[in-house]
Amino acid sequence: MEQYMLTSNNTTSENSSIFQTSTESSPTVKSLQIVQHMLRCTDMETLTSEYFYGLRDHFQMQCVEVMYNDKKLTYGSPSAYAVPLIEEMGSDIRLAYYFHSPLNQKLRCEFQQLQAIARLAISNCIAHQQTIELARKDPVTGLDNRCSFDEHFLRMLKHSKRYQESPFGLLILDLDNFKTVNDTDGHQMGDRILTTFAQEIKNVVRDTDICFRFGGDEFCCLLPGSIPTVNEEISVRIHNAVRRNPLLQKYNVSCSIGSAYSRHNDTVDSLFKRADDALYQSKQIQGNSVNYA
C-alpha cells in the first residue's frame, strides 16, 4: 500500500518530499476558506467534521482521523485500498488521512499549503479544550469541580425530561470526622484524605457515572440511566471501599450519603434538595450511613 508521510517541521524524506510547497499552485478559494474558518473553531468534533466534509470531494478523501490526548476522532471510513497520509504533530497529536488514490502534483501542493493552516487550527483547538478541562477540574482530587457538576447536572436533567425513559440518580457524599483530621494533622493530611476518598469513589462507580468534588469535604455523583436499586448498590460499594481503606480507617474517616432519583417534574433545585435533605438525615442519625429520598 502506498503511503505518504508528513512531518510538522517540514523535514524532507523520500515520501514527504512530494508534499513540498510549490508556488506554481495554490489552494482553491473554497478549500482555503474552510481551513481558515477552522482557526475560529474551539470544538474538536466540529473542527474535524468541517475539515473532512469540506475537503472530502475536492481531494477525494475517504477518511480523516485525529488522535490526541488518548482521544480519537474519526470521520469517514477508509476502504481496503485507501492511500494513507500520516502526520505526526509533536509527541501526542497524530493526523491520518485516507484518499481514494494518490494525489496528483497539483492536489499535493494544494493540500500541503492547506495543512499549514490546519495544523495551527488543530493545535489551537486542542490547547483551548485543555484549558477548559483544567478549569473544570479540582486541583486536589482530580475530580470534576462544582462548575462541571452544574453543567452536567442541568444537561442530564434536560435529557431526562425530554426522554422519560432516561432518569438518573444523584448521590451527595459528606466525609465524617474530616474536620478533626484537618485540625489535628493539618491540611496536607486533609488533602491526602480527600484524594484517597476520591480515588475510592472512582474505583467503585460505573464507567458511565461522573464524580465531582462539590466543595470542602462534600462530593457528588451523577448516575445516568440508573434506578433506585443502582443508587443503593453504589452507595453500599462506596461504604465498603471506605471501610477497607487503611488510610481512611486509620483516621476514622467514614462518609454519609444522601441519595435521590430524578422525577419528571424535577427542577435542579428540587432534585438537589431531596438528596441534600437525605444527606442531612444521614448526618443527624449517626453518620457513616445512607438515606434515600
Side-chain angles (χ1 to χ4, degrees):
M1 175 183 290
E2 184 174 1
Q3 177 172 323
Y4 301 127
M5 294 294 297
L6 280 177
T7 55
S8 56
N9 60 3
N10 290 327
T11 55
T12 303
S13 66
E14 181 178 353
N15 287 329
S16 64
S17 61
I18 59 175
F19 278 91
Q20 296 303 304
T21 303
S22 170
T23 57
E24 297 177 359
S25 177
S26 60
T28 63
V29 173
K30 179 181 177 182
S31 297
L32 186 59
Q33 288 175 338
I34 290 169
V35 179
Q36 287 176 331
H37 173 71
M38 290 165 57
L39 288 169
R40 299 188 293 273
C41 187
T42 58
D43 179 76
M44 274 301 296
E45 292 189 12
T46 301
L47 182 149
T48 308
S49 174
E50 290 187 358
Y51 189 33
F52 173 66
Y53 291 109
L55 305 185
R56 176 182 58 179
D57 294 338
H58 184 66
F59 291 99
Q60 293 295 292
M61 189 185 299
Q62 292 184 357
C63 178
V64 61
E65 294 178 344
V66 182
M67 288 146 279
Y68 67 101
N69 300 340
D70 298 323
K71 300 177 183 177
K72 180 178 178 180
L73 294 175
T74 302
Y75 285 87
S77 178
S79 69
Y81 304 100
V83 178
L85 180 158
I86 309 298
E87 179 176 11
E88 304 286 348
M89 293 175 55
S91 60
D92 56 354
I93 305 176
R94 183 174 183 266
L95 308 180
Y97 308 92
Y98 298 87
F99 301 93
H100 284 282
S101 58
L103 300 178
N104 61 37
Q105 183 65 34
K106 180 176 182 296
L107 289 178
R108 288 200 296 268
C109 292
E110 286 187 22
F111 195 76
Q112 175 71 2
Q113 293 179 64
L114 292 171
Q115 273 300 93
I117 304 174
R119 282 195 297 268
L120 179 59
I122 291 169
S123 296
N124 287 346
C125 189
I126 291 175
H128 175 79
Q129 290 201 344
Q130 288 174 333
T131 301
I132 295 298
E133 289 175 4
L134 285 174
R136 294 174 178 170
K137 292 293 182 183
D138 171 54
V140 175
T141 64
L143 297 181
D144 282 18
N145 61 18
R146 168 71 181 273
C147 178
S148 179
F149 170 79
D150 290 342
E151 293 177 2
H152 280 89
F153 191 20
L154 180 59
R155 186 183 306 119
M156 206 172 287
L157 189 62
K158 288 181 176 179
H159 183 80
S160 179
K161 286 179 176 293
R162 181 174 299 175
Y163 306 101
Q164 295 186 35
E165 71 278 7
S166 299
F168 65 97
L170 168 64
L171 302 181
I172 304 179
L173 310 94
D174 187 90
L175 292 181
D176 305 318
N177 201 41
F178 178 74
K179 185 177 185 303
T180 301
V181 176
N182 251 353
D183 293 344
T184 304
D185 298 276
H187 292 286
Q188 187 173 10
M189 178 53 66
D191 286 350
R192 280 190 62 194
I193 295 293
L194 293 172
T195 302
T196 300
F197 180 69
Q199 188 60 53
E200 292 293 356
I201 297 174
K202 289 196 295 184
N203 288 344
V204 300
V205 299
R206 303 167 303 174
D207 291 341
T208 54
D209 300 330
I210 316 172
C211 305
F212 309 84
R213 184 185 177 194
F214 193 75
D217 62 341
E218 193 166 85
F219 296 76
C220 292
C221 295
L222 289 172
L223 316 176
S226 71
I227 55 177
T229 53
V230 171
N231 284 25
E232 181 177 354
E233 178 184 346
I234 291 178
S235 297
V236 170
R237 287 185 197 171
I238 292 172
H239 274 138
N240 288 339
V242 170
R243 194 176 298 114
R244 290 192 300 263
N245 186 276
L247 180 66
L248 300 180
Q249 287 306 297
K250 176 181 177 180
Y251 288 93
N252 194 32
V253 173
S254 57
C255 74
S256 298
I257 303 176
S259 170
Y261 185 67
S262 67
R263 301 169 183 167
H264 182 62
N265 61 345
D266 262 327
T267 64
V268 166
D269 290 340
S270 66
L271 177 53
F272 190 87
K273 186 177 186 304
R274 284 206 312 279
D276 199 40
D277 288 346
L279 173 65
Y280 179 78
Q281 293 298 321
S282 295
K283 299 290 284 189
Q284 288 295 105
I285 297 171
Q286 58 182 8
N288 192 28
S289 61
V290 56
N291 196 54
Y292 303 95

